[in-house]
Amino acid sequence: GEDVEQSLFLSVREGDSSVINCTYTDSSSTYLYWYKQEPGAGLQLLTYIFSNMDMKQDQRLTVLLNKKDKHLSLRIADTQTGDSAIYFCAERSGNTGKLIFGQGTTLQVKP
Amino acid sequence: DARVTQTPRHKVTEMGQEVTMRCQPILGHNTVFWYRQTMMQGLELLAYFRNRAPLDDSGMPKDRFSAEMPDATLATLKIQPSEPRDSAVYFCASGLVEREQYFGPGTRLTVT
């Protein structure tokens, strides 16, 4: 079945780059997403990538997709303390609206 | 600044009581999604609607949960009767197309 896996925790120093990784199992995934959740808040859509792309850049965010290995990553350049949050990877299968989420990676940014 | 709104933000109720959660999607969005977030299960899709018609509610316990869209500006999720295992944060999301889902702030439900 569909499954999305992420590491649970990442700690970086302010100003460094952060790389959050995700693997998925559904080869029919059409879109892959990164969401950010701050404490007590909803999920904020950061970016998404269509499955026929291998890279997307948006300001400090770079998404890399390796479709062969079913591996997605989110790189945050010049990480700031305000980037501390839980980051969720999600996949969308086919033409359904259903998103399958990973368990989330907690990013801790140390000053 | 268009946002999805949800009410109430917090709800504490006793087991057996009816709970109704409401969501106002972003104006003009035609897809609405209900998710539940728990520590154990993470984020799970409960139901989703396109143009007010339910398309998938396979993630929802049918015996006690119901989801409706009385009109394009209101989606409701009802639990009757509620149980302690329903304690979670319930999120509504909306989108103009299914590939973009914008989440509301959630309703934190505690059933004692």
Side-chain angles (χ1 to χ4, degrees):
Chain A
E2 306 146 329
D3 195 21
V4 177
E5 296 282 339
Q6 299 178 240
S7 54
L8 294 182
F9 187 77
L10 175 66
S11 180
V12 300
R13 293 227 169 263
E14 193 174 16
D16 288 350
S17 291
S18 307
V19 180
I20 303 171
N21 295 299
C22 169
T23 57
Y24 60 98
T25 57
D26 188 353
S27 57
S28 67
S29 294
T30 52
Y31 289 92
L32 295 127
Y33 300 79
W34 285 104
Y35 281 86
K36 175 184 180 182
Q37 186 178 32
E38 296 183 71
L43 278 74
Q44 175 193 351
L45 177 60
L46 288 178
T47 187
Y48 61 91
I49 188 168
F50 187 47
S51 58
N52 70 352
M53 298 170 64
D54 51 21
M55 186 180 101
K56 182 177 180 181
Q57 189 155 2
D58 184 0
Q59 299 182 335
R60 292 190 298 121
L61 305 180
T62 304
V63 178
L64 294 178
L65 174 61
N66 181 327
K67 197 172 179 182
K68 173 176 165 291
D69 294 338
K70 299 190 185 69
H71 182 268
L72 183 75
S73 67
L74 174 69
R75 179 177 180 269
I76 305 173
D78 187 25
T79 313
Q80 303 297 306
T81 54
D83 296 324
S84 293
I86 302 175
Y87 290 81
F88 290 92
C89 167
E91 63 166 354
R92 177 183 162 218
S93 277
N95 290 321
T96 74
K98 184 175 181 179
L99 295 186
I100 306 296
F101 285 87
Q103 63 269 56
T105 299
T106 298
L107 175 64
Q108 179 190 66
V109 182
K110 296 179 181 175
Chain B
D1 184 22
R3 297 185 187 195
V4 175
T5 57
Q6 291 185 245
T7 56
R9 292 293 313 277
H10 301 273
K11 176 73 176 179
V12 179
T13 192
E14 291 183 347
M15 183 173 65
Q17 296 298 303
E18 178 179 296
V19 175
T20 299
M21 290 170 271
R22 294 177 174 80
C23 167
Q24 184 172 13
I26 294 172
L27 190 64
H29 283 187
N30 66 340
T31 58
V32 172
F33 305 81
W34 282 105
Y35 289 89
R36 176 169 63 183
Q37 185 178 38
T38 61
M39 289 293 292
M40 293 300 294
Q41 300 296 327
L43 277 154
E44 305 171 284
L45 178 71
L46 296 175
Y48 91 91
F49 296 78
R50 185 194 298 149
N51 297 324
R52 296 175 56 201
L55 288 190
D56 184 351
D57 61 2
S58 58
M60 202 164 66
K62 303 289 190 308
D63 56 339
R64 299 183 300 107
F65 284 60
S66 61
E68 294 180 346
M69 281 201 72
D71 61 60
T73 65
L74 177 64
T76 61
L77 180 67
K78 192 174 294 188
I79 308 174
Q80 168 62 22
S82 57
E83 297 181 2
R85 60 181 167 147
D86 301 328
S87 297
V89 182
Y90 291 81
F91 289 106
C92 173
S94 74
L96 183 56
V97 291
E98 275 101 333
R99 67 173 179 265
E100 294 184 1
Q101 297 183 23
Y102 297 93
F103 281 67
T107 294
R108 182 174 295 275
L109 174 66
T110 303
V111 183
T112 61

